[in-house]
Amino acid sequence: MFERFTQEARDVVVGAQAEARALRHRRIGTEHLLLAMLAPGTTAARVLTRHGVGHDAVVAAVRVHSGPDELDAGALSSLGIDLDAVRGRVEEAFGPGALDAPQAGRPGGHIPFTPRAKKVLELALREAIALKSRTITDGHIALGLIREGEGLAMKVLHDRGVDVPALRDDLRLALNP
Amino acid sequence: MADTAQVATAAGSKDPTVGLAAVRSLRLLVERLEALQVANARDLGWTWEQIAQHLGVSRQAVHKKHASGRRPLRRRD
C-alpha cells in the first residue's frame, strides 16, 4: 500500500511520528496524523486552514484531551512538591534529562501507530480508489480520518466547530478539481 | 517553591480538577523515579529479587514492568 503514497503522504506518516515524539506521546494516533497534515504547503493543510484548523490550535487541544504525559510543575506544587528541586537532585545523580519521559523521548526510538491510526491509512487507500486516484496523497489521508470518524483528531475538529461534511467536500474538490 | 498558602489551598481543595491533576502528576513522577532507580540498580548488578524486596513488590511484578524496555538500552553501554 505504501508504495502508492505520494511524497506528501509519506511526509505525513513520518511527520506524525515526529509530532508524537514532540508531545512525548507513546503512540501515534489520529491526532498526530492531523498535526503532520498541517505542515505548511500541503494540499490537506490548505483546505484545513480554510476551515479554521491550524497546527498550534490543534496542539493545544490535543494537550488538553490526551493529558500531559509530562510532569506538571503546577499540579505538583499544589502538593508541596517542588518539581525543579526534584529534577535538580535527580539530574545531579543521573545526568541532564534523567527525569524526562523514557523511550518516547529517545531520538530514533520507534513509536507504534494506534489501530485507529492504521485504520485511517487503510481508509486513505479506499478514498483514493473511490476517487479513482492511482496514488494516495495527504488529502486522501485527511479523507480517511473523516471516514474513520472517531479518534482524537475528529474530536478536535468537532470541538472547534468545523463543518465536517463541508470539509470533506472541499478536500474532494481539491483532490479532483 | 510553592508557598505555604498555596499548598494549604490546594491540599484543602475539594475541586476534583485540582486534586486529580495533582494525583496524576504525582503518579507520573513516581513512575519516572522508579524507572530510573530500577535501571540504576540493574546497572549496579542488583537482582530483580533484591529490587523487588526494596520496592515492596513481587519479583514478577518488577520484572514484568521494567525488564522489557531495558535490553536495548543496556546493549548500548
Side-chain angles (χ1 to χ4, degrees), chain A residues 3 8 11 35 51-52 60 68 73 93 110 114 120 137 145 152 172:
Chain A
E3 67 277 2
E8 279 184 339
D11 289 346
L35 283 169
H51 284 260
H110 176 69
T114 62
V120 166
T137 70
L145 263 184
L152 188 45
R172 285 187 178 151

Side-chain angles (χ1 to χ4, degrees), chain A residues 22-38:
Chain A
L23 286 163
R24 299 226 171 115
H25 292 166
R26 290 155 194 276
R27 293 273 185 280
I28 301 169
T30 57
E31 68 275 28
H32 306 110
L33 288 172
L34 177 61
L35 283 169
M37 249 175 255
L38 289 166

Side-chain angles (χ1 to χ4, degrees), chain A:
Chain A
M1 177 172 97
F2 284 102
E3 67 277 2
R4 297 177 63 174
F5 276 50
T6 61
Q7 189 57 49
E8 279 184 339
R10 284 163 203 246
D11 289 346
V12 168
V13 174
V14 174
Q17 174 145 209
E19 297 287 348
R21 183 168 291 120
L23 286 163
R24 299 226 171 115
H25 292 166
R26 290 155 194 276
R27 293 273 185 280
I28 301 169
T30 57
E31 68 275 28
H32 306 110
L33 288 172
L34 177 61
L35 283 169
M37 249 175 255
L38 289 166
T42 67
T43 308
R46 274 197 298 278
V47 176
L48 284 161
T49 308
R50 277 210 299 275
H51 284 260
V53 183
H55 188 276
D56 291 351
V58 174
V59 167
V62 166
R63 276 188 197 278
V64 169
H65 286 297
S66 62
D69 190 18
E70 50 196 69
L71 294 162
D72 182 342
L76 288 170
S77 81
S78 80
L79 293 169
I81 295 169
D82 182 345
L83 180 59
D84 286 341
V86 174
R87 193 183 293 280
R89 299 262 175 108
V90 168
E91 292 192 346
E92 224 169 81
F94 297 102
L99 209 55
D100 293 343
Q103 272 121 24
R106 193 154 43 94
H110 176 69
I111 307 177
F113 279 82
T114 62
R116 201 188 294 283
K118 283 185 194 161
K119 180 84 185 162
V120 166
L121 297 179
E122 287 165 24
L123 290 172
L125 169 66
R126 284 212 232 151
E127 289 290 343
I129 292 168
L131 292 172
K132 299 185 170 35
S133 170
R134 293 176 56 82
T135 55
I136 301 166
T137 70
D138 57 315
H140 294 115
I141 300 178
L143 288 170
L145 263 184
I146 293 172
R147 192 195 275 217
E148 200 283 329
E150 290 173 13
L152 188 45
M154 289 309 291
K155 176 156 178 53
V156 170
L157 294 187
H158 284 300
D159 286 356
R160 295 189 59 77
V162 172
D163 181 346
V164 174
L167 173 62
R168 185 199 292 129
D169 292 346
D170 274 3
L171 281 166
R172 285 187 178 151
L173 204 63
L175 289 165
N176 282 21

